[in-house]
């Protein structure tokens, strides 16, 4: 396949020849660790280094022997979809002692290993840094003991450490997401969605306890993703008397017709006095089970129980436990771990004796390298702040993403009384445009509730601009969007109809309902629609109002945004299907699957889905290919089939080439692979658009839509003059998109130059830089652009002001 131009060719600048890299997983396991191990091994071998597994974490390093084994390309096959860590993890007391580290140093020197890639939590990484600092002293001791030769001290003078954080709790400062967090959220949301159906049947209240001994990230994001009524986390202990407030909230929601309540409790939840708040305490009798003697100044406890006796609600407790650590990793975690693993090898090859140990982190949509101990110290600062009851500071230390999640949850979950709401007298319409995408409903819910909180009257438009010109517009209230976050598709209804043909009727409806602003949630058609409405401003004053767009499409082809709502759910559908298809061939030798994905002319799903599923090739429109490339791929697969690798996977974007169709490629592979492998094909179709939205899409849709609605409110105030709203500047019609590390409002007219309107894609797409990575991990020799690879930064400077990470890929 044709190679993209690169500013810097990786293997011409860096070489791993003569180097030995060891990879280990330590501490608690997390889904995605295997993807990181696979990436380290294959990238290390790709650059010519020797790569070793260290089994059973630091215990294996101390014990040596068969615990430290050389890795091969085939030894990491078929591990992308496996949860946990196949090389084992263990907590090792012996490594904490000087004698234990001395044994570990001896075992590494024997094999010439001076580069360590450690995948674990802050304790594992702190231990690695101590080991690095003591390294030269340990070698001198080994020489004195006569265990190693004096030349070894000079030859192996420095130990280089690069860390990746594997932890489902997302409790490590410096990175927006840790490996395993997204998969844990998938497990939680799967349970919540299942529970909500039975809870509605019986009008029950469910109390869910999720992991998070010291960090409430899982509980907080789960609460956002499912619209929970109440959440209790360590970083935000409730005020004294919270029991009464919670019961009032639950009672109020039931009185408005809600048939269920969800309360999420982090296992480390505490009150203002540092005492635990357990899930059973939330359910049972407060008067008899108060977990501490309240200080004299605190209000008396309720005389009744919290939920069961006080409200009479049928209540159940579910403790998720280690279910959250289990199962197959999500597409997000596979991609994150693969990118981090490759970046870790790059960092090891570039390090010098004076380079501090670093940790590979994620900021927005970019990989960054941060000094390991700065991150550890910041993480410890969080705990210190919590121990000293400086909770607001602890939230800020967690990072902007955590802080924004908390603000958004408070904004959406707790409805203010009518008397406390500001009165704006503005009417805002929200509509979906284009094809349905999972997460659209979460975005609509967020927009409606934020709008109401800011005093606006919110209107829902059914069936996009087709429904708009037909007058399918009605006011939508707070309770109307309850339970929308977990619903797939578009509950408002969505059409691809553009407004230009019916602009006069739409203007009439705008006038009739006195619409002062528009929020459009959709894909490429939504972008085109805003351009058309912008053009219509010269003729119709009704369109001289603030207009904002939030990108939502599985194709991820909207200019101005690296990511769109719905794309993550589609990626998970592709990845899950590929896993099942490959598993179907577990008893069949030498089989290649040709799979067609959606995306129009945009190859995002095929490329990133291919990376997540471990594809051997992905054919897309943006990277042209011909019959010679197809033949080369067949030959490559034929060669691989002669080894222990028995299955192949090839993805093709639906519009990648009008002549080389899925059928053509299937027939070509079938013919050319005769005698070596057989072929099967599968067109995934609209299943990529269906299903419940992933936690990422629910959270992303919720946060980005809330931000867009706040921008609309600000613009309404700015453009209100002489008793009316009048906005006719370019910056009053914007798209809110994620660019690299930040969420940015961009005038749609300025995005025209960035757009290929014929093929409905951006002219430049960030994910194309992931294609060489996919090829390297599939054993192709290719160019790899490292111009964007992470540079060592400092923790305090790693996020720009507007960044709202965790919406990262």
């Amino acid at each position: 396949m044709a190679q993209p131009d690169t500013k810097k060719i990786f293997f011409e600048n860096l070489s791993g020849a003569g180097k030995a890299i060891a990879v280990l997983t330590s501490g608690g396991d997390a889904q995605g660790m295997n993807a990181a191990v696979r990436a380290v091994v294959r990238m290390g071998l790709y650059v010519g280094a020797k790569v070793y597994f260290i089994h059973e974490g630091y215990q294996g390093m101390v014990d040596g022997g068969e615990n430290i084994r050389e890795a091969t390309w085939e030894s990491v096959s078929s591990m992308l979809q496996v949860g946990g860590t196949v090389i084992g993890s263990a907590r090792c007391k012996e490594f904490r002692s000087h004698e234990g580290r001395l044994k570990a140093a001896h075992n590494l020197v024997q094999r010439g290993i001076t580069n360590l890639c450690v995948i674990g939590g802050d304790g594992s990484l702190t231990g690695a840094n101590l080991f690095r600092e003591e390294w030269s002293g340990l070698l001198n001791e080994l020489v004195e003991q006569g265990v190693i030769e004096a030349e070894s001290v000079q030859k192996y003078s420095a130990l280089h450490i690069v860390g990746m954080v594997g932890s489902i709790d997302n409790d490590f400062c410096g990175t927006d997401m840790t490996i395993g967090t997204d998969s844990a959220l998938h497990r939680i949301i799967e349970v919540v969605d299942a529970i909500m159906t039975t809870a509605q049947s019986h009008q029950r209240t469910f109390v869910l306890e999720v992991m998070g001994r010291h960090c409430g990230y899982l509980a907080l994001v789960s609460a956002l993703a499912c619209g929970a009524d109440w959440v209790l986390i360590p970083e935000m202990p409730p005020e004294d008397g919270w029991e009464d407030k919670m019961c009032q909230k639950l009672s109020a929601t039931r009185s408005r017709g809600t048939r269920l309540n969800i309360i999420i409790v982090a296992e480390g939840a505490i009150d203002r006095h540092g005492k635990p708040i357990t899930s059973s305490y939330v359910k049972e009798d407060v008067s008899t089970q108060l977990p501490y003697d309240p200080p004299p100044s605190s209000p008396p406890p309720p005389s009744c129980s919290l939920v069961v006796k006080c409200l009479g609600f049928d209540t159940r407790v579910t403790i998720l436990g280690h279910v959250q650590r289990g199962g197959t990793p999500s597409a997000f975690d596979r991609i994150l771990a693969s990118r981090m693993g490759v970046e870790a090898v790059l960092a090891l090859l570039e390090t010098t004796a004076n380079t501090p140990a670093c940790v590979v982190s994620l900021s927005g949509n970019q990989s960054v390298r941060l000094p390991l101990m700065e991150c550890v110290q910041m993480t410890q600062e969080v705990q210190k702040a919590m121990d000293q009851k400086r909770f607001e500071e602890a939230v800020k230390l967690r990072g902007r993403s955590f802080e924004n999640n908390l603000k958004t949850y408070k904004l959406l979950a707790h409805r203010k009384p009518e008397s406390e709401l500001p009165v704006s007298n503005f009417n805002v319409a929200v509509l979906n445009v284009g094809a349905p995408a999972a997460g659209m409903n979460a975005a609509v819910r967020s927009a409606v509730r934020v709008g109401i909180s800011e005093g606006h009257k919110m209107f829902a438009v059914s069936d996009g601009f087709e429904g708009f010109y037909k007058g399918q517009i009605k006011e939508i209230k707070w309770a109307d969007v309850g339970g929308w976050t977990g619903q797939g598709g578009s509950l408002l209804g969505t059409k691809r109809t553009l407004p230009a043909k019916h602009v006069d009727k739409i203007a009439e409806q705008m006038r009739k309902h006195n619409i002062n602003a528009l929020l459009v949630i959709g894909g490429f058609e939504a972008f085109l629609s805003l351009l058309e409405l912008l053009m219509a401003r010269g003729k119709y004053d009704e369109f001289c109002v603030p207009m904002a767009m939030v990108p939502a499409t599985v194709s991820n082809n909207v200019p101005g945004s690296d990511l769109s709502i719905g794309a993550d759910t589609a990626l998970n559908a592709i990845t899950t299907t590929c896993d099942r298809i490959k598993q179907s061939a577990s008893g069949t030798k030498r089989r290649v699957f040709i799979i067609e994905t959606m995306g129009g002319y945009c190859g995002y799903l095929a490329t990133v889905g291919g990376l997540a599923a471990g594809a051997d090739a992905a054919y897309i429109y943006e990277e042209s290919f011909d019959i010679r490339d197809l033949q080369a791929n067949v030959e490559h697969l034929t060669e691989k089939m002669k080894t222990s690798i028995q299955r192949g996977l090839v993805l093709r974007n639906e519009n990648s080439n009008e002549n080389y169709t899925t059928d053509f490629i299937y027939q070509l592979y079938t013919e050319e692979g005769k005698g070596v492998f057989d072929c099967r094909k599968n067109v995934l179709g609209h299943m990529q658009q269906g299903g419940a939205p992933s936690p990422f899409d629910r959270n992303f849709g919720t946060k980005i839509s809330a931000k867009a609605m706040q921008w609309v409110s600000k613009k309404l105030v700015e453009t209100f003059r002489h008793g009316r709203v009048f906005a006719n500047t370019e910056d009053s019609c914007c798209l809110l998109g994620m660019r690299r590390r930040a969420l940015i409002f961009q005038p749609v007219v300025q995005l025209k130059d960035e757009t290929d309107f014929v093929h409905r894609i951006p002219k430049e797409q960030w994910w194309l830089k992931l294609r060489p990575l996919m090829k390297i991990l599939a054993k192709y020799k290719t160019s790899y652009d490292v111009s964007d690879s992470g540079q060592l930064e400092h923790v305090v400077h790693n996020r720009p002001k507007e960044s709202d990470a965790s919406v990262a890929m």
Side-chain angles (χ1 to χ4, degrees):
M1 296 173 71
Q3 302 300 328
D5 292 334
T6 57
K7 298 175 187 174
K8 190 174 180 183
I9 306 303
F10 171 73
F11 49 79
E12 288 181 3
N13 292 273
L14 294 170
S15 173
K19 295 194 176 184
I21 299 171
V23 58
L24 72 146
T25 53
S26 178
D29 65 309
Q31 308 96 318
M33 279 184 165
N34 288 325
V37 169
R38 172 180 177 267
V40 170
V41 169
R42 292 195 166 176
M43 192 63 174
L45 293 174
Y46 174 81
V47 299
K50 273 190 174 183
V51 185
Y52 291 86
F53 292 134
I54 299 179
H55 292 265
E56 311 306 333
Y58 287 117
Q59 190 66 56
M61 193 190 296
V62 171
D63 294 342
E66 283 299 303
N67 287 305
I68 305 176
R69 302 179 208 163
E70 192 169 349
T72 65
W73 195 276
E74 289 74 25
S75 61
V76 292
S77 296
S78 303
M79 52 190 292
L80 258 178
Q81 69 273 22
V82 180
T85 165
V86 298
I87 61 173
S89 181
R91 303 187 190 279
C92 178
K93 288 184 180 178
E94 198 172 353
F95 188 76
R96 296 177 186 174
S97 68
H98 184 79
E99 291 75 16
R101 292 192 292 275
L102 194 64
K103 288 181 186 177
H106 181 216
N107 289 326
L108 294 187
V109 169
Q110 279 185 314
R111 294 162 180 82
I113 298 169
T114 56
N115 296 280
L116 271 186
C117 183
V118 181
I119 308 167
D122 60 335
S124 302
L125 298 177
T126 303
N129 189 65
L130 176 62
F131 190 40
R132 170 185 169 273
E133 290 175 346
E134 291 182 348
W135 180 257
S136 59
L138 293 171
L139 294 195
N140 286 327
E141 279 189 58
L142 291 172
V143 171
E144 289 172 11
Q145 292 176 9
V147 177
I148 63 172
E149 299 295 329
E151 294 78 30
S152 297
V153 177
Q154 184 66 31
K155 188 176 180 181
Y156 306 117
S157 58
L159 178 68
H160 306 299
I161 302 284
V162 172
M164 287 183 276
V165 189
S167 165
I168 67 166
D169 290 340
N170 202 33
D171 57 353
F172 192 81
C173 292
T175 187
D176 295 336
M177 288 288 272
T178 56
I179 296 168
T181 302
D182 186 70
S183 299
L185 287 171
H186 273 259
R187 300 296 91 79
I188 294 168
I189 294 304
E190 285 164 10
V191 171
V192 171
D193 285 351
I195 278 175
M196 288 177 84
T197 57
T198 183
Q200 282 187 323
S201 300
H202 298 277
Q203 295 197 57
R204 281 180 175 151
T205 294
F206 268 87
V207 182
L208 269 77
E209 183 179 305
V210 302
M211 282 185 166
R213 204 179 324 153
H214 303 294
C215 178
Y217 184 88
L218 288 178
L220 179 57
V221 175
S222 299
L224 260 180
C226 72
D229 298 281
W230 203 268
V231 64
L232 293 158
I233 60 174
E235 295 87 349
M236 186 187 67
E239 300 287 347
D240 291 336
W242 63 272
E243 298 94 339
D244 280 336
K245 291 179 182 177
M246 185 180 74
C247 288
Q248 289 167 11
K249 166 81 186 299
L250 299 181
S251 182
T253 57
R254 283 291 177 94
S255 68
R256 290 193 291 268
T258 302
R259 291 180 60 84
L260 79 156
N261 299 107
I262 299 288
I263 301 165
I264 296 182
V265 184
E267 63 176 330
I270 54 174
D271 65 14
R272 287 275 160 178
H273 309 286
K275 302 297 181 180
I277 299 175
T278 65
S279 51
S280 58
Y281 172 68
V282 173
K283 176 189 173 184
E284 301 298 341
D285 192 330
V286 177
S287 61
T288 59
Q289 297 193 27
L290 212 63
Y292 66 98
D293 293 326
S297 59
S298 64
S303 58
C304 58
S305 71
L306 278 186
V307 179
V308 181
K309 293 179 185 174
C310 185
L311 299 176
F313 291 173
D314 187 4
T315 305
R316 299 289 187 273
V317 171
T318 300
I319 299 174
L320 269 62
H322 281 72
V323 165
Q324 296 156 88
R325 287 193 189 278
T328 188
S330 66
F332 183 102
D333 272 329
R334 299 185 199 194
I335 296 157
L336 173 66
S338 297
R339 291 179 70 183
M340 283 187 167
V342 169
E343 186 67 35
V345 173
L346 285 174
L348 283 172
L349 295 180
E350 292 175 354
T351 193
T352 66
N354 298 321
T355 307
C358 76
V359 62
V360 178
S361 301
L362 189 74
S363 179
N365 201 28
Q366 282 192 296
S367 295
V368 295
R369 301 175 196 169
L370 302 172
L372 190 154
M373 290 315 295
E374 283 188 20
C375 296
V376 170
Q377 286 159 10
M378 182 74 82
T379 304
Q380 292 170 347
E381 280 295 317
V382 176
Q383 192 57 49
K384 190 183 295 182
M386 289 169 62
D387 291 341
Q388 296 174 357
K389 298 183 174 56
R390 294 180 282 117
F391 298 112
E392 289 184 9
E393 186 180 340
V395 168
K396 288 180 179 174
L397 288 170
R398 279 273 181 237
R400 188 171 293 275
S401 171
F402 190 95
E403 194 175 2
N404 285 342
N405 281 327
L406 188 53
K407 287 178 181 176
T408 306
Y409 175 77
K410 288 179 178 178
L411 197 60
L412 299 177
H414 303 294
R415 183 182 183 183
K416 292 179 181 177
E418 296 285 341
S419 58
E420 293 182 22
L421 290 174
V423 180
S424 71
N425 294 318
F426 293 128
N427 295 343
V428 181
V430 59
L431 65 158
N432 295 152
V433 177
M440 276 183 163
N441 297 320
V444 171
R445 169 186 175 269
S446 177
V448 168
R449 291 196 169 180
V450 171
I452 291 171
S453 295
E454 303 206 347
H456 310 320
K457 186 179 283 188
M458 299 299 297
F459 287 84
V461 182
S462 300
D463 298 333
F465 283 105
E466 185 174 315
F468 211 135
Y469 82 80
K470 291 179 179 177
Q472 295 171 206
I473 306 167
K474 65 176 182 180
E475 188 178 355
I476 187 166
K477 300 293 185 81
W478 185 282
D480 295 337
V481 293
W484 278 34
T485 54
Q487 300 291 316
S490 168
L491 293 174
L492 286 184
T494 181
K495 300 277 188 179
R496 295 180 182 271
T497 307
L498 298 179
K501 291 183 180 178
H502 310 284
V503 70
D504 53 339
K505 293 180 182 177
I506 294 170
E508 182 184 331
Q509 293 295 334
M510 294 273 288
R511 189 165 54 252
K512 178 181 176 182
H513 294 277
N514 190 29
I515 302 298
N516 306 119
L518 287 179
L519 178 60
V520 183
I521 301 165
F524 202 86
E525 290 86 357
F527 172 63
L528 295 175
S529 297
L530 285 198
L531 287 174
E532 291 182 358
L533 294 180
L534 196 65
M535 292 291 292
R537 279 179 170 179
K539 189 175 180 182
Y540 299 95
D541 282 354
E542 287 80 3
F543 300 121
C544 293
V545 296
M547 293 185 278
M549 176 190 162
V550 171
T553 167
V554 301
S555 300
N556 198 33
N557 64 331
V558 176
S561 188
D562 291 350
L563 297 171
S564 299
I565 299 165
D568 183 71
T569 304
L571 279 175
N572 278 286
I574 292 167
T575 304
T576 301
T577 305
C578 288
D579 288 349
R580 290 176 179 174
I581 286 172
K582 288 197 292 184
Q583 189 181 43
S584 73
S586 59
T588 307
K589 289 187 176 181
R590 297 176 180 172
R591 178 164 286 174
V592 175
F593 295 93
I594 314 295
I595 297 175
E596 182 183 298
T597 66
M598 295 178 84
Y601 284 97
C602 180
Y604 176 80
L605 290 180
T607 295
V608 183
L611 180 60
D616 295 281
Y619 300 116
I620 63 171
Y621 166 77
E622 293 91 342
E623 191 174 289
S624 61
F625 58 96
D626 57 26
I627 194 69
R628 288 164 296 189
D629 297 311
L630 292 171
Q631 184 62 37
N633 293 149
V634 173
E635 291 171 0
H636 181 79
L637 271 168
T638 302
E639 191 63 32
K640 285 177 72 173
M641 291 293 175
K642 293 176 183 176
T643 67
S644 60
I645 297 173
Q646 301 293 313
R647 286 167 289 175
L649 185 66
V650 175
L651 271 61
R652 177 189 175 274
N653 169 242
E654 59 185 347
N655 288 345
S656 56
N657 189 294
E658 61 181 347
N659 295 313
Y660 300 133
T661 63
T662 301
D663 282 336
F664 177 91
I665 293 173
Y666 163 69
Q667 290 168 8
L668 175 71
Y669 272 69
T670 300
E671 182 63 29
E672 296 298 317
K674 269 184 181 176
V676 181
F677 59 81
D678 63 355
C679 243
R680 295 290 186 273
K681 66 174 178 177
N682 196 303
V683 178
L684 300 186
H686 282 76
M687 65 167 291
Q688 296 158 86
Q689 282 185 326
S694 67
F696 181 97
D697 278 329
R698 299 183 196 198
N699 190 25
F700 185 30
T702 297
K703 290 203 291 185
I704 195 172
S705 191
K707 192 175 182 75
M709 196 64 234
Q710 290 169 331
W711 177 88
V712 166
S713 296
K714 181 182 174 185
K715 286 293 178 185
L716 282 168
V717 173
E718 289 176 0
T719 57
F720 185 74
R721 297 288 184 274
H722 310 297
R724 61 166 292 191
V725 172
F726 189 82
N728 64 347
T729 56
E730 287 183 357
D731 65 354
S732 64
C733 181
C734 284
L735 179 149
L736 175 57
M738 183 181 173
R739 304 297 288 262
R740 295 166 73 86
R741 301 195 199 182
L743 285 171
I744 303 171
F745 288 96
Q746 305 144 98
V748 292
V749 70
Q750 293 180 14
L751 295 173
K752 288 171 71 175
D753 291 339
E754 299 181 22
T755 308
D756 176 352
F757 286 95
V758 175
H759 298 102
R760 298 159 60 88
I761 55 175
K763 290 178 181 176
E764 291 187 12
Q765 303 187 84
W766 68 273
W767 52 265
L768 285 170
K769 292 186 177 181
L770 298 181
R771 287 186 63 76
L773 190 154
M774 183 192 73
K775 294 174 187 176
I776 287 168
L777 298 180
K779 211 174 184 179
Y780 285 91
K781 275 294 179 184
T782 186
S783 304
Y784 186 56
D785 179 6
V786 295
S787 58
D788 262 359
S789 66
Q791 302 303 314
L792 196 65
E793 302 181 12
H794 292 284
V795 176
V796 291
H797 302 304
N798 75 318
R799 289 190 185 91
K801 186 177 179 182
E802 291 298 316
S803 175
D804 178 15
S806 117
V807 294
M809 171 53 63

